[in-house]
């Protein structure tokens, strides 16, 4: 076990995989999508072997169809198909390492290719964004230098001064300008805002749990090797949860805009509301009863 494996967040072997691809004369794969793919596969709960995720049809589908659109937001210069390409590179590497036979390699390749196309489509759907992804898109659309933390903070500060209807109009404009495909004719009403907040909260908690599982999974190996526990596991459980929350926010920033998810939680929560049960109940209470809607439809 490497020292980096003792930390809460995963230390992917992307550099090793890229070096292998170069030595094999393969077409280059973008590093950022590759790192995201490797991290999400590890945190998805699947089996790991010598630092590499074991590839199965379920793991590929979970990554590309269920998880990717919760976390990553490619920049305007990045190809969303790169995530599927990264999975296919990993498949070939595992075949070269004799961990996949030719039949499984071919099957997984085909699945990763079409699932990668599906994932690219899901990344464009306006009804599937989370707050970090949405604000990453807004920052790109407004031409903000996302590598400049002060510039990101200043833009968010200015956006906060806008009226709520103007902020929602900016969300709507992303689809009109071609940054997203609008899949929901209802647009950016209260229900959409509620669903984005719920998706954001759920995605972050899922990531936190994956980070915690990773540490507990390594704990048995640490004990067997007589190695010290990582700092995150030496305190009380509350401190461990806080460390997982911080690591999750850092990872989300790596996959969207650095520092953005932390800013939305700590400095600008009103721009990215995550509803509790009280807010959800209040919204549901304001909806017309199904019976009233049905009667109104019959009357028409």
């Amino acid at each position: 076990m490497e020292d980096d494996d003792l930390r809460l967040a995963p230390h992917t072997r992307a550099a090793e995989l890229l070096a292998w691809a170069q030595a094999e004369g393969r077409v280059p794969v973008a590093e950022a999508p590759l790192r995201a793919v490797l991290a999400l596969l590890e945190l998805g709960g699947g089996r790991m072997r010598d630092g590499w995720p074991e590839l199965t049809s379920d793991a590929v589908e979970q990554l590309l169809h269920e998880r990717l659109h919760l976390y990553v937001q490619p920049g305007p210069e990045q190809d969303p198909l790169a995530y599927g390409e990264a999975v296919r590179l990993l498949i070939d590497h595992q075949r070269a390492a004799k961990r996949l036979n030719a039949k499984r390699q071919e099957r997984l390749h085909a699945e990763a290719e079409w699932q990668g196309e599906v994932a690219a489509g899901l990344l464009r759907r306006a009804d599937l964004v989370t707050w970090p992804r949405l604000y990453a898109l807004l920052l790109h659309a407004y031409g903000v230098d996302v590598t400049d933390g002060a510039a990101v903070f200043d833009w968010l500060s200015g956006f906060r001064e806008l009226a709520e209807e103007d902020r929602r109009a900016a969300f709507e404009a992303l689809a009109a300008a071609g940054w997203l495909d609008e899949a929901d004719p209802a647009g950016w009403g209260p229900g959409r805002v509620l669903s984005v907040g719920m998706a954001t909260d759920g995605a972050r908690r899922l990531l936190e749990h994956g980070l915690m599982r990773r540490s507990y999974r390594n704990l048995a190996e640490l004990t067997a090797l007589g190695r010290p526990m990582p700092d995150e596991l030496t305190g009380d459980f509350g401190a461990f949860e806080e460390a997982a929350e911080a690591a999750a926010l850092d990872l989300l920033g790596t996959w969207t805009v650095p520092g953005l998810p932390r800013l939305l939680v700590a400095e600008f929560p009103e721009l990215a509301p995550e509803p509790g049960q009280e807010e959800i109940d209040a919204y549901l209470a304001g909806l017309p009863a199904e019976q009233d809607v049905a009667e109104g439809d019959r009357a028409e």
Side-chain angles (χ1 to χ4, degrees), residues 18 27-38 63-64 68 72 74-75 77-90 112-113 115-117 119-120 123:
L18 289 171
V27 175
V29 172
E31 183 175 355
L34 181 60
R35 289 190 180 279
V37 161
L38 290 172
L63 169 70
L64 295 175
L68 197 69
V72 306
E77 75 288 352
Q78 296 174 322
D79 184 0
L81 292 174
Y83 298 96
E85 293 171 358
V87 175
R88 296 199 297 276
L89 176 63
L90 179 59
E113 183 172 4
Q115 289 279 7
E117 293 174 356
L123 287 170

Side-chain angles (χ1 to χ4, degrees), residues 133-195:
R133 288 191 55 221
L134 182 67
Y135 279 97
L137 281 168
L138 281 170
L139 290 164
H140 290 305
Y142 279 81
V144 179
D145 181 359
V146 297
T147 66
D148 184 342
V152 171
F153 183 92
D154 289 344
W155 185 88
L156 289 171
S157 297
F159 195 70
R160 177 166 56 185
E161 298 304 313
L162 298 178
E164 184 176 357
E165 58 267 25
D166 293 331
R167 296 200 298 267
R168 293 191 186 182
F171 302 156
E172 295 273 8
L174 287 173
W179 290 88
L180 289 172
D181 296 332
E182 181 56 80
D184 183 355
W188 278 92
R192 169 70 68 80
V193 172
L194 189 78
S195 67

Side-chain angles (χ1 to χ4, degrees), residues 80 101 107 147 166 213 217 256:
N101 60 35
R107 185 181 72 250
T147 66
D166 293 331
R213 281 198 308 269
R217 184 172 62 236
T256 53

Side-chain angles (χ1 to χ4, degrees), residues 13-14 28-30 41 54 73 77 81 96 111 134 148 151 153 163 166 175 208 212 246 252 265 280 287 294-296:
R13 301 177 70 174
V29 172
L41 281 170
E54 286 197 2
Q73 182 53 60
E77 75 288 352
L81 292 174
E111 292 173 356
L134 182 67
D148 184 342
F153 183 92
D166 293 331
E208 292 168 6
M212 295 168 76
L252 289 170
V265 169
I280 295 172
L287 294 178
E295 290 176 354

Side-chain angles (χ1 to χ4, degrees), residues 14-285:
E16 182 178 338
L17 187 50
L18 289 171
W20 174 83
Q22 184 177 18
E24 293 292 314
R26 297 178 58 94
V27 175
V29 172
E31 183 175 355
L34 181 60
R35 289 190 180 279
V37 161
L38 290 172
L40 285 170
L41 281 170
E42 180 173 355
L43 296 175
R47 295 181 60 183
M48 299 289 294
R49 181 177 176 186
D50 297 331
W52 299 101
E54 286 197 2
L55 291 169
T56 64
S57 296
D58 288 344
V60 170
E61 181 178 9
Q62 182 193 68
L63 169 70
L64 295 175
H65 190 261
E66 300 175 12
R67 296 287 179 91
L68 197 69
H69 67 269
L70 294 174
Y71 300 113
V72 306
Q73 182 53 60
E77 75 288 352
Q78 296 174 322
D79 184 0
L81 292 174
Y83 298 96
E85 293 171 358
V87 175
R88 296 199 297 276
L89 176 63
L90 179 59
I91 291 168
D92 291 345
H93 176 268
Q94 294 299 278
R95 167 60 178 159
K98 303 186 184 304
R99 291 173 180 164
L100 295 173
N101 60 35
K103 186 175 181 179
R104 284 188 65 201
Q105 177 194 25
E106 182 179 2
R107 185 181 72 250
L108 288 172
H109 237 287
E111 292 173 356
E113 183 172 4
W114 75 266
Q115 289 279 7
E117 293 174 356
V118 170
L122 296 177
L123 287 170
R124 288 194 54 83
R125 283 182 50 175
D127 60 331
L128 294 180
V129 295
T130 55
W131 289 126
R133 288 191 55 221
L134 182 67
Y135 279 97
L137 281 168
L138 281 170
L139 290 164
H140 290 305
Y142 279 81
V144 179
D145 181 359
V146 297
T147 66
D148 184 342
V152 171
F153 183 92
D154 289 344
W155 185 88
L156 289 171
S157 297
F159 195 70
R160 177 166 56 185
E161 298 304 313
L162 298 178
E164 184 176 357
E165 58 267 25
D166 293 331
R167 296 200 298 267
R168 293 191 186 182
F171 302 156
E172 295 273 8
L174 287 173
W179 290 88
L180 289 172
D181 296 332
E182 181 56 80
D184 183 355
W188 278 92
R192 169 70 68 80
V193 172
L194 189 78
S195 67
V196 173
M198 293 172 64
T200 301
D201 176 72
R204 190 176 63 250
R205 291 179 185 276
L206 189 64
L207 188 59
E208 292 168 6
H209 293 163
L211 290 165
M212 295 168 76
R213 281 198 308 269
R214 178 181 185 273
S215 285
Y216 284 128
R217 184 172 62 236
N218 287 341
L219 185 58
E221 186 174 348
L222 289 171
T223 301
L225 294 173
R227 301 283 293 278
M229 290 192 297
D231 291 341
E232 294 91 340
L233 290 178
T234 59
D236 59 27
F237 186 74
F240 181 40
E241 284 188 312
E242 290 178 3
E245 291 170 4
L249 289 172
D250 289 341
L251 275 177
L252 289 170
T254 300
W255 300 331
T256 53
V257 168
L260 173 64
R262 187 181 295 275
L263 283 174
L264 292 176
V265 169
E267 301 288 344
F268 301 95
E270 68 275 33
L271 294 184
E274 297 180 18
Q277 192 59 50
E278 183 177 345
E279 291 87 352
I280 295 172
D281 290 342
Y283 172 75
L284 294 176

